Amino acid sequence: MPIYEFEGNVPDIDSTAFVHPLASVIGDVRIAAGCYIGPFASIRGDFGTIVIGEGSNVQDSCTLHVGHGRRCELAPESHIGHGAVVHGAFLRRNTLIGMNAVIMDDAVIGESSIVAACAFVKVGWEVPPGCLVAGIPARVVRRLEQGELQGKAKATRKYQELAVACLSTLREVKVGD
């Protein structure tokens, strides 16, 4: 798997985290216990620091990056859907970023909030806790219901289970000749 030191910064990846061999992790990156990093994810800590909290998942083709000397932080149980971009933002515990959403610098996604697929969260915007946001630019649509929060937690647990299964059973195979 492409894990790269950059300017003396070596990624720190917990042994219980799964990073797919086709993901790329560069520089000042910390990936905590029980995380799942999917194929083609690009996590570039070349300009600043990226911290991925315990039990989080960064799915296929996501990009995490940060500006010079800045930070990007995903609190525990962050859930980043396929193709999303998180650039220098701060995700509080138990957030979900929908597929192909873009979260810009210094945005703060409140605890237990969901950013809808394809939404654009502008620079510096603070999403309140427990909300659904959607649109371009994103706006608060409504408060989340308990069932939605339970569904999000269940989906995140599935990715935590996937990390464990991948660590023990994922193997490259050669098919055909």
Side-chain angles (χ1 to χ4, degrees):
M1 92 183 67
I3 307 293
Y4 300 97
E5 175 180 351
F6 181 76
E7 294 185 343
N9 292 306
V10 177
D12 180 10
I13 302 170
D14 187 274
S15 64
T16 64
F18 173 76
V19 178
H20 193 278
L22 295 176
S24 180
V25 181
I26 301 167
D28 192 2
V29 175
R30 295 176 205 126
I31 301 174
C35 290
Y36 172 88
I37 309 299
F40 305 109
S42 176
I43 304 171
R44 286 184 39 219
D46 47 9
F47 294 157
T49 302
I50 298 173
V51 178
I52 302 174
E54 186 173 349
S56 294
N57 65 80
V58 178
Q59 298 171 18
D60 315 45
S61 301
C62 290
T63 300
L64 273 60
H65 195 237
V66 62
H68 290 277
R70 307 299 297 265
R71 289 179 71 84
C72 179
E73 296 182 13
L74 283 59
E77 299 183 354
S78 293
H79 187 108
I80 314 302
H82 310 288
V85 175
V86 179
H87 197 280
F90 299 88
L91 280 57
R92 301 298 186 229
R93 179 179 286 278
N94 195 41
T95 56
L96 185 150
I97 307 303
M99 293 183 277
N100 292 310
V102 175
I103 315 299
M104 292 301 296
D105 298 282
D106 298 321
V108 178
I109 309 302
E111 183 171 346
S112 299
S113 285
I114 295 176
V115 176
C118 298
F120 177 81
V121 176
K122 63 185 180 179
V123 170
W125 190 48
E126 291 198 27
V127 174
C131 289
L132 171 65
V133 299
I136 302 173
R139 61 178 178 77
V140 174
V141 174
R142 61 179 170 76
R143 301 282 305 159
L144 290 166
E145 297 175 9
Q146 191 60 36
E148 292 169 312
L149 293 171
Q150 290 169 344
K152 185 275 174 201
K154 181 178 179 181
T156 300
R157 279 192 303 278
K158 289 291 185 189
Y159 273 93
Q160 292 164 350
E161 293 166 4
L162 181 60
V164 171
C166 286
L167 284 169
S168 62
T169 69
L170 185 71
R171 302 286 177 262
E172 185 174 3
V173 296
K174 302 294 182 199
V175 179
D177 290 323

